[in-house]
């Protein structure tokens, strides 16, 4: 396994940035998410630079769903990122983190009347997913005496090599306006009194490890931009979404670099807009590629069991990291307190949840493990804590943030009181 | 579709017990879980009666993971149930609900040192999953000057017809002591100073719609009980676990009745213990079959979209009900505010989560739907709210409980403040 550059092994211990994971686990307890702020900054800077070097008007919108901790949003806000928000909650957090409304896009295939009213009230742009939503948004804007700037989410009907549950640009996905209906949708938007179409938006999926689908998608959007120019839609932005993957199998998977991504996408984009004589902003919506590798999940071995396999039973399961159970996702694991011991035998890392599928990693060669040892699950920064639950009556774990020599919690540990704080007692059950 | 008896259609509206779901959604908002207390009571009574009629010493231990709301636990505690608890949190809640320690079993394949200490402190019995755990528990009991009564969780290596993620009794599952190691484990327990083996425990899986696997499992346990008698283990209880399913496809699936379950299991059990000359308590651990059908999830249509399919986009997704996305589970859906209108066309009920897999129901024939209509997702009482998350920045919905003419919240709606209440700001991010 090849560790990413912010992780290292020193005197047998796994370090994240300058911090010994064994010390962090001792200080804050386990399970524990730990994020390296500098890694997020590097990831952001490298992507933004690669794109901006090839076109002057680029705006990164962080896909807040990947990791919605305010501390993460603040880091990215400070670097100039906006956000792709998918709910009222994400919109609220992005604004709290200091992101400006003009660099937020309210996405979603199922927005409620309250969502639409909030979008109008906060002056963000809206990615509209259906004609039904268009008319509702127009009415909401009219009743507030405002005009809302929108894009349509376009379904490009592109096949991409990723897990079917997160391939969002398939012809059969729930997202977006089918290609054949897009122009009519814009015509309808042009006829709306309180909606102004200014953008076009697309997203083909997540965890994509090739650049070619992004180039194809961009070509689809340029073609649509040509048609939109013909019907008089002044495009102020073209949003190609996100989707770049993380090389979860370290040393085996290969993820495109930001430069490779830019090299694939930008020639299509810049040639297209030049030919059309327009200069829209290019919006991109990376999530996983910014935060995925920044974070590890530390979990302690509770017991080891010899059965048909050897199980190392740990204190984190799919309550905290759902991806292995939900998508059969692969995450590297490291014996964090004996990281330079020879890998002696195969362990299956099993969580504490009462389901057979609660396995974080299967049949991994690791140093000999026993109760008390510390396991680090790598690349847990995207769709990790974000998808966590309190299943099996388990309070959720804390999240720590490190930066250079500093460390602090960006989320405290939940307690059993946090499990019951929203419960209320029906009157007939009162003593 | 054939509705379960506590659901009915009156004047075009779906009712749960005596309550109009349209009124409930208007009063408490959507999404909304609604549980019928009387249905839980019926389910419990019928199972307990069927078993107790065939053997005098039966104890029902509710599988608290299925639905851990304190109000639900209180109902079952009041009827005499104990609980199968899988974590410190579930143990704490079961005690808070008034369940007695002697009818609680602390289960789990990965118990932490704190879990073991808590088990010792609260005087509950422990289902031990490995020899490693046995020695840790013995040490924890010794240091508290106590003796803990235990069972071993046995892996019966039984194939069952259910989803592989919840088939817990397979030879390849993470649960339990492999059959060939069981006697040695008990011998080791007999040699422990502060542990006393008094039970045997097994669980073959969840959502099983045939009785035959339970009879086979019981036969395996009786065989083991014979061996245990030979080595001098005085069995006070035999715990056959849970696993009875719910007929999610109403009118198509058929779930065994409690009487059929008892008819399959009890002759094997009673003949076995009679032959052995022992009279252990029979423990059973039903979860889904007690609460699954008691609850509906009400969700409102935000928009309707014509694409390659017709989507009814609703306000609840796999953030609130993970089963369809996680296990491809089927739940019936009813147009709750037009429940006697003719089913005119096929709709796919899509949630608001930013994943292609966020579909609650696919291609269901329903009355013509439009924004504002109300959908009821049936049989959402087990592994529904219990597995919920705040994914996509979504506060979780409330849970209502109805009983005869009464209705009350047993959980309030979360707000955006509940999303950030555990977040903390690293010092270097303070203004």
């Amino acid at each position: 396994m090849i560790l990413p550059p912010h992780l290292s092994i020193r005197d047998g211990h796994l370090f994240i940035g300058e911090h010994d994971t064994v010390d962090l686990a001792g200080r804050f307890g386990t399970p524990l998410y730990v994020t390296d702020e500098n890694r997020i900054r590097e990831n952001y800077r490298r992507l933004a630079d690669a794109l901006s070097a090839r076109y002057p008007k680029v705006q990164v919108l962080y896909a807040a769903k990947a990791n919605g901790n305010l501390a993460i949003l603040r880091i990215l806000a400070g670097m100039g990122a906006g956000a792709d928000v998918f709910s009222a909650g994400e919109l609220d957090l992005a604004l709290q983190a200091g992101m400006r409304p003009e660099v937020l896009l309210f996405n979603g295939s199922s927005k409620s009347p309250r969502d639409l009213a909030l979008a109008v009230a906060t002056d963000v742009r809206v990615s509209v997913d259906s004609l039904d939503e268009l008319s509702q948004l127009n009415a909401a804007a009219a009743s507030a005496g405002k005009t809302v700037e929108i894009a349509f989410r376009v379904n490009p009907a592109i096949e991409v090599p990723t897990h079917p549950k997160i391939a969002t640009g398939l012809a059969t996905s729930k997202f977006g306006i089918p290609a054949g209906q897009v122009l009519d949708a814009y015509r309808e938007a042009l006829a709306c009194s309180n909606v102004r179409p200014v953008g076009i938006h697309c997203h083909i999926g997540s965890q994509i490890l090739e650049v070619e689908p992004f180039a194809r998608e961009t070509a689809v959007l340029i073609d649509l931009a040509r048609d939109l120019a013909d019907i008089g839609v002044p495009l102020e932005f073209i949003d190609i979404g996100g989707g770049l993957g993380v090389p979860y199998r370290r040393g085996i998977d290969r993820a495109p670099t930001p430069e490779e991504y830019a090299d694939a996408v930008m020639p299509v984009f810049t040639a297209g807009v030049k030919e059309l004589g327009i200069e829209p902003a290019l919006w991109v919506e990376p999530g996983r590629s910014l935060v995925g590798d920044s974070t590890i999940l530390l979990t302690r071995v509770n017991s080891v069991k010899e059965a048909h396999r050897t199980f190392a039973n740990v204190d984190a399961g799919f309550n905290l990291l759902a991806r292995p159970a939900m998508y059969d996702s692969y995450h590297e694991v490291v014996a964090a307190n004996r990281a330079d011991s020879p890998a002696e035998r195969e362990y299956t890392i099993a969580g504490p949840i009462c389901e057979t599928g609660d396995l974080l990693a299967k049949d991994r060669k690791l140093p000999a493990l026993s109760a008390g040892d510390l396991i680090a699950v790598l690349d847990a920064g995207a769709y990790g804590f974000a998808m966590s639950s309190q299943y099996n009556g388990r309070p959720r774990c804390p999240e720590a943030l490190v930066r250079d020599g500093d460390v602090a919690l960006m989320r405290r540990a939940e307690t059993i009181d946090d499990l019951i704080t929203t419960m209320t007692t029906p009157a007939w059950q009162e003593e």
Side-chain angles (χ1 to χ4, degrees), chain A:
Chain A
M1 182 195 327
I2 300 166
L3 293 176
H6 59 297
L7 301 181
S8 59
I9 294 168
R10 307 182 196 176
D11 298 331
H13 287 190
L14 180 71
F15 276 61
I16 180 166
E18 300 302 310
H19 298 267
D20 186 337
T21 57
V22 176
D23 292 345
L24 293 173
R27 174 167 170 192
F28 297 110
T30 57
L32 176 70
Y33 274 101
V34 187
T35 297
D36 184 341
E37 174 169 337
N38 290 342
R39 183 62 179 172
I40 295 177
R41 292 180 176 276
E42 285 164 23
N43 289 339
Y44 179 88
R45 177 63 56 214
R46 194 165 163 195
L47 177 67
D49 287 354
L51 296 171
S52 298
R54 289 157 177 85
Y55 188 68
K57 294 167 66 176
V58 171
Q59 177 64 51
V60 175
L61 277 69
Y62 169 56
K65 69 189 77 67
N67 187 329
N69 193 298
L70 272 170
I72 305 291
L73 294 172
R74 278 189 215 103
I75 294 165
L76 291 163
M79 301 191 75
D84 145 28
V85 298
F86 221 82
S87 66
E90 288 185 1
L91 172 56
D92 191 289
L93 267 64
L95 292 170
Q96 282 195 46
M99 291 174 173
R100 294 168 293 124
E102 55 267 36
V103 291
L104 300 180
L105 185 66
F106 200 141
N107 281 322
S109 55
S110 185
K111 302 187 191 80
S112 69
R114 282 176 60 181
D115 291 338
L116 297 176
L118 182 70
V120 171
T122 53
D123 299 315
V124 298
R125 287 179 175 123
V126 178
S127 173
V128 174
D129 199 273
S130 67
L131 296 180
D132 192 349
E133 183 187 334
L134 177 70
S135 67
Q136 292 183 47
L137 179 61
N138 188 52
S143 77
K146 286 189 171 185
T147 296
V148 177
E149 296 186 337
I150 68 154
F152 280 105
R153 166 86 174 244
V154 174
N155 184 331
I158 286 180
E159 300 279 333
V160 291
T162 188
H163 194 290
K165 285 181 185 172
I166 54 177
T168 58
L170 298 175
T172 54
S173 105
K174 70 176 180 176
F175 293 108
I177 312 274
Q181 302 175 20
V182 171
L183 284 189
D184 281 345
Y186 277 92
R187 285 194 191 96
E188 200 158 324
L190 286 169
C192 284
S193 56
N194 293 71
V195 156
R196 201 162 73 87
V198 299
I200 187 161
H201 176 219
C202 189
H203 181 75
I204 56 173
S206 196
Q207 184 51 17
I208 298 168
L209 294 178
E210 303 169 13
V211 296
E212 186 273 334
F214 299 108
R216 240 185 315 146
E217 176 209 6
T218 306
V220 167
L221 290 178
I222 291 293
D223 284 346
L224 280 171
R226 186 175 298 113
D227 296 338
L228 292 178
D230 290 344
I231 64 168
V233 174
L235 279 186
E236 297 179 13
F237 69 91
I238 294 177
D239 184 341
I240 62 172
L244 260 191
V246 163
Y248 286 108
R249 292 169 193 266
R250 292 275 160 196
I252 297 174
D253 290 342
R254 193 177 174 287
T257 64
E259 295 77 17
E260 288 166 346
Y261 173 73
D263 282 343
V265 164
M266 298 308 288
V268 180
F269 180 81
T270 54
V273 297
K274 188 172 173 192
E275 183 212 321
L276 296 177
I278 60 177
E279 206 173 70
L282 173 68
W283 285 12
V284 293
E285 298 178 345
R288 191 188 309 264
S289 63
L290 295 185
V291 298
D293 70 5
S294 70
T295 301
I296 58 177
L297 173 59
L298 297 175
T299 181
R300 202 171 291 280
V301 176
N302 282 328
S303 56
V304 172
K305 180 169 74 174
E306 307 289 344
H308 64 287
R309 287 175 154 79
T310 304
F311 290 97
N313 300 307
V314 297
D315 59 8
F318 81 73
N319 53 321
L320 294 176
L321 183 65
R323 300 186 70 258
M326 187 137 180
Y327 311 112
D328 290 318
S329 302
Y330 185 99
H331 286 263
E332 298 287 359
V333 293
V334 173
N337 64 323
R338 47 182 82 236
D340 56 5
S341 301
E344 288 186 3
R345 52 183 305 180
E346 284 190 349
Y347 291 92
T348 288
I349 311 297
I353 298 298
C354 186
E355 300 209 8
T356 299
D358 185 34
L359 306 176
L360 291 175
K362 290 175 198 163
D363 299 331
R364 302 295 176 82
K365 272 234 161 183
L366 291 169
L369 295 176
S370 56
D373 280 337
L374 187 67
I375 300 288
V377 183
L378 307 193
D379 300 311
Y383 309 103
F385 194 96
M387 297 182 77
S388 65
S389 74
Q390 296 163 327
Y391 187 39
N392 277 201
R394 294 195 162 264
R396 289 179 295 182
C397 74
E399 297 179 288
L401 186 67
V402 302
R403 190 188 68 164
D404 303 328
D406 293 327
V407 57
L409 287 185
M410 58 179 174
R411 187 187 304 268
R412 67 164 171 81
E414 289 182 343
T415 65
I416 290 173
D417 282 345
D418 289 305
L419 299 180
I420 61 175
T421 183
T422 57
M423 293 184 198
T424 50
T425 306
W428 63 90
Q429 289 193 347
E430 308 264 6
E431 306 286 317

